Amino acid sequence: MLTGLRGVGKTVLLNEFERLAEGRGYFHEHIEVGEDGELPQRLAAAFRRLLLSMDAKRRIGERVHRALGVLKAFNIRLPDGLELNIDVDAVHGPADSGDLATDLAGLFVELGEVARDHDTGVLITVDEVHYVKLATLEALVMGLHRATQLALPITVAGAGLPSLATLTGEAKSYAERVFTFPDIDTLAQDQAREALDLPAADENVQWTDDALDRVVEVTRGYPYFLQEYGKQAWEAAEGPALITLDDVERSIPVATAELDDGFFRVRTGRTSDAERAYLRAMAEIGPGPVRTSDVASLLSKRTTALGPVRDGLLKKALCYSPRWGVIDFTVPMFDSFMKRWIPEVPPFGERTR
Ligand SMILES: Nc1ncnc2c1ncn2[C@@H]1O[C@H](COP(=O)(O)OP(=O)(O)O)[C@@H](O)[C@H]1O
Ligand SMILES: [Mg+2]
């Protein structure tokens, strides 16, 4: 279960896991959770695709029909289960009790057994897990734990922002048995240099040392920024075979503008005036994390009065709360962007755009 800020390479890693699974002849499906946080329906659809492709490739027939029947019963039982086009009779019992953890366990076991009986494995990757509600995440963990206990060849790898729901109690101890929780962060200096240097070397292009150092410095080793600043330096260099510090310096404003218009701005698309004022005040106080009480005093408001604004930012996953009373951006270097975008802290409640 990978966690980290936006643009550090979580999705890239999930794709890599899928590639590894594929290389071993395992079956895999990818789910991206949306802001609605809906997971069971997305899982059901993934299970269906998995079963159908296992059947298509391995001609499993009967066993797959039963599993599809179990899935059908599960789906009918979901609160607003979408019509899954499954052309078999529902099989009642294993996954339609109405208790999500039990039913997911039933599904994981069903699918895991099909995989085991046919000497293959199943990987489900789930991206943007931070949108999933705590109770649903708990059910996922419990369900997967059951299949793990039975040593069935099925697993889930997830990725999400650091705001990922914090599991407690039983769910937590199960989660620690079925998942590891690596923090995905900036690349170390030599890794960041390699990320620029190796692909260029493949094209017989060299970077000067000071050029590499400069890009690593401005990007602080954040993968997405390395990609963007590296690209613009490449474009700015006259070539044919060398990228210099001067090229980098000329490309920095271009890369910054690109990020502002794309990577950063896209996150602010649906923010309200109040939310933008809040974000701008956070940026004023520090790069983050900042205390919500400090944000409130800068905006001349009571902390409680700003509660709904703060909750809106958490819900949109623009911010997360690393601990009580503290808030931080989920996007690296978002403070500098806010300062470029809105030069002064606006009076709270006034139009900012
Ligand atoms: N290990 C890496 N080395 C270099 N660049 C990377 C690496 N991981 C990610 N990137 C770059 O960062 C971009 C964003 O990665 P992504 O996986 O989408 O981030 P996240 O899912 O954490 O928001 C990628 O498209 C790629 O350009
Ligand atoms: Mg991602």
Side-chain angles (χ1 to χ4, degrees), residues 5-13 127 187 195 223-224 226-227:
L5 301 180
R6 296 242 183 237
V8 291
K10 302 180 296 296
T11 301
V12 165
L13 282 168
D127 207 354
L187 297 177
Y224 192 84
L226 283 169
Q227 172 82 47

Side-chain angles (χ1 to χ4, degrees), residues 267-318:
R267 314 267 167 235
T268 63
R270 288 176 299 114
T271 49
S272 65
D273 289 318
E275 287 169 344
R276 288 192 288 273
Y278 196 102
L279 291 168
R280 182 60 186 83
M282 283 174 66
E284 188 72 11
I285 294 162
V290 302
R291 292 190 355 219
T292 51
S293 55
D294 291 344
V295 178
S297 39
L298 186 60
L299 292 171
S300 312
K301 290 274 164 191
R302 298 225 320 275
T303 311
T304 46
L306 291 176
V309 181
R310 192 200 55 209
D311 289 349
L313 293 170
L314 298 177
K315 189 146 190 299
K316 292 190 173 80
L318 258 167

Side-chain angles (χ1 to χ4, degrees), residues 61 68 75 81 96 98 119 133 136 143 169 238 241 249 274 280 298 322 325 341:
L68 284 169
N75 204 61
D96 60 350
D119 292 319
K133 283 195 300 289
T136 311
E238 268 147 41
E249 294 297 354
R280 182 60 186 83
L298 186 60
W341 190 35

Side-chain angles (χ1 to χ4, degrees), residues 25-27 47-69 88 109-122 153:
Y26 296 167
F27 290 81
F47 279 121
R48 174 177 172 270
R49 291 192 301 269
L50 280 165
L51 286 166
L52 293 177
S53 62
M54 285 164 96
D55 192 33
K57 269 211 176 142
R58 304 268 180 125
R59 301 169 200 275
I60 301 173
E62 264 318 293
R63 190 63 186 83
V64 160
H65 281 150
R66 182 195 132 90
L68 284 169
V88 294
V109 168
E110 198 69 26
L111 199 62
E113 284 175 355
V114 175
R116 182 196 58 198
D117 294 350
H118 293 83
D119 292 319
T120 183
V122 173

Side-chain angles (χ1 to χ4, degrees), residues 86-137:
I86 303 179
D87 194 15
V88 294
D89 293 331
V91 174
H92 297 286
D96 60 350
S97 72
D99 173 61
L100 189 58
T102 309
D103 295 345
L104 284 179
L107 282 184
F108 278 118
V109 168
E110 198 69 26
L111 199 62
E113 284 175 355
V114 175
R116 182 196 58 198
D117 294 350
H118 293 83
D119 292 319
T120 183
V122 173
L123 171 68
I124 300 172
T125 47
V126 185
D127 207 354
E128 312 286 325
V129 175
H130 48 273
Y131 288 129
V132 177
K133 283 195 300 289
L134 180 61
T136 311
L137 195 58

